[in-house]
Amino acid sequence: SPADAAPVFDAKGIETVRRDQCAATQHLLRGSLEALFTSGGDLSKVKQYLQHHASRMRSGRFALKDFIFHHELRPMEDYRSSGPLAAQAVRRSGSEWPSPGERFAFVVAQGPPGSRLADVASLPRDVVGGSPF
């Protein structure tokens, strides 16, 4: 509101608050938006913010928990084909299919060049150093 002394971040329906996004996405998007608005629209500040965090990730300074997605799946029979990444991760892992309303945790790991996302969606326990076991 124009009457606010300081800007207030009020997010609804955007990836910064969606439960199916990983924490890294939420934090990076929120930080980028805050950098954009506090700098008066200076995109170089957003670029600087993102480059700093990309550098940290490339050097291995991150927590795996920040990259875990949590998706709610429908019953297995609702998927005619392979379904979303979470469904493919459940099938490949051999885990029991989640109950309706239960969220399934998975990460998108690094795979060989040319890998499809569906091939590298894995359970968090199966990921070491960014690659599936």
Side-chain angles (χ1 to χ4, degrees):
S1 152
D4 291 338
V8 176
F9 187 82
D10 185 20
K12 293 181 177 99
I14 191 169
E15 277 69 15
T16 59
V17 293
R18 289 177 52 115
R19 294 186 313 163
D20 60 351
Q21 280 299 325
C22 68
T25 300
Q26 294 171 338
H27 296 304
L28 287 172
L29 182 56
R30 182 178 179 135
S32 296
L33 289 171
E34 287 174 350
L36 180 68
F37 293 128
T38 59
S39 69
D42 184 355
L43 288 178
S44 68
K45 298 296 183 190
V46 176
K47 180 179 177 181
Q48 182 180 14
Y49 174 83
L50 291 172
Q51 286 176 329
H52 168 73
H53 286 287
S55 173
R56 289 186 67 221
M57 286 183 247
R58 277 191 228 102
S59 68
R61 294 186 341 237
F62 63 87
L64 179 62
K65 69 180 178 73
D66 290 339
F67 293 86
I68 298 175
F69 292 87
H70 298 86
H71 286 198
E72 188 174 323
L73 294 173
R74 298 186 306 255
M76 187 177 359
E77 56 274 5
D78 285 2
Y79 298 110
R80 294 181 187 194
S81 63
S82 55
L85 289 179
Q88 294 173 49
V90 173
R91 286 190 181 108
R92 236 188 1 274
S93 72
S95 297
E96 188 174 314
W97 196 265
S99 302
E102 183 181 355
R103 292 192 167 271
F104 183 77
F106 71 98
V107 296
V108 176
Q110 181 178 348
S115 296
R116 299 175 314 148
L117 283 177
D119 297 333
V120 293
S122 306
L123 298 181
R125 71 170 187 246
D126 295 341
V127 176
V128 174
S131 300
F133 274 90

